Amino acid sequence: MFDVGLGEMLVLVVLALVIFGDKLPQAAGQAGRALRQLRQMANSAKADLQEGLGPEFKDFDVADLNPKTFVRKHLLEDHDDDLRANGSSGSGGLFDDEPSYAAAAAGGLEYGERPPFDNEAT
């Protein structure tokens, strides 16, 4: 996460010893307590947000607001499982009223084969 190597870590430890000296254990304890309080505040804020949104958003996760997570979840997921779960057989395409030739055209055309023509679409 921080990309700190062994040499850099050693320099940081020596620097901490020089700056804090004998009070290093106390400073480390204070930093740990501050981090623990910050984590508790963040968890409390998350719980308050989920409680305030109501039962419709019980699956809400704050991490979903991250743009990378949002794009991965909504655009890059495979939705074929959702179609099968809703009872679609997959033979007619995405919608039940889709013409039967649409599924055949999805497989591609052979050389010289003419694409299907839909009179209702023009």
Side-chain angles (χ1 to χ4, degrees):
M1 181 166 96
F2 292 111
D3 229 12
V4 178
L6 182 63
E8 295 162 338
M9 183 64 79
L10 185 62
V11 169
L12 289 174
V13 168
V14 170
L15 202 64
L17 285 173
V18 169
I19 292 174
F20 294 110
D22 294 336
K23 298 185 182 194
L24 184 62
Q26 293 172 350
Q30 285 179 343
R33 283 189 292 278
L35 186 61
R36 193 175 317 116
Q37 284 180 334
L38 184 63
R39 188 176 298 143
Q40 287 175 350
M41 288 186 338
N43 288 337
S44 175
K46 179 181 173 183
D48 289 345
L49 180 64
Q50 287 178 338
E51 181 182 323
L53 289 175
E56 300 89 25
F57 294 98
K58 67 179 179 183
D59 298 344
F60 176 73
D61 187 15
V62 178
D64 290 340
L65 298 177
N66 184 344
K68 286 183 181 180
T69 307
F70 183 82
V71 169
R72 186 180 313 118
K73 182 175 181 181
H74 293 287
L75 296 179
L76 301 178
E77 279 186 349
D78 188 19
H79 294 288
D80 292 341
D81 296 334
D82 296 339
L83 291 175
R84 287 187 204 108
N86 291 334
S88 175
S89 64
S91 61
L94 292 175
F95 305 103
D96 292 336
D97 61 346
E98 189 171 342
S100 62
Y101 64 79
L109 299 174
E110 297 295 325
Y111 180 74
E113 186 179 359
R114 300 189 75 183
F117 182 74
D118 185 10
N119 290 330
E120 295 175 3
T122 57

